Amino acid sequence: MADVKTIKREELLEKIDRGDDFVLLETLAEEAYQRGHLPGALQFSDMDRASEVAPDKATEVITYCSNFN
């Protein structure tokens, strides 16, 4: 089982600014992705296909979606 943790948006921004090596997946619908997404993010709503975008299991994968709470 993969190690799963939540990071804050500030941590994600730091990773992007540093140029860290990771895959960023937006897990919202294609329409939401087309309206706007984070730099470098891939639209990805089918987590069963995660191995296609990150075939190396050591690759860090960060997913995000909307949260209206």
Side-chain angles (χ1 to χ4, degrees), residues 7-52:
I7 64 171
K8 296 184 182 289
R9 64 181 71 168
E10 294 81 12
E11 292 174 84
L12 177 56
L13 181 58
E14 289 172 3
K15 290 175 120 355
I16 292 170
D17 288 345
R18 280 194 308 262
D20 288 5
D21 188 25
F22 63 94
V23 175
L24 182 60
L25 302 177
E26 178 175 307
T27 58
L28 295 172
E30 177 70 25
E31 303 82 44
Y33 178 82
Q34 293 302 325
R35 284 193 302 269
H37 54 273
L38 294 174
L42 303 172
Q43 192 281 328
F44 198 78
S45 56
D46 184 359
M47 292 310 293
D48 291 333
R49 295 179 42 233
S51 64
E52 293 175 23

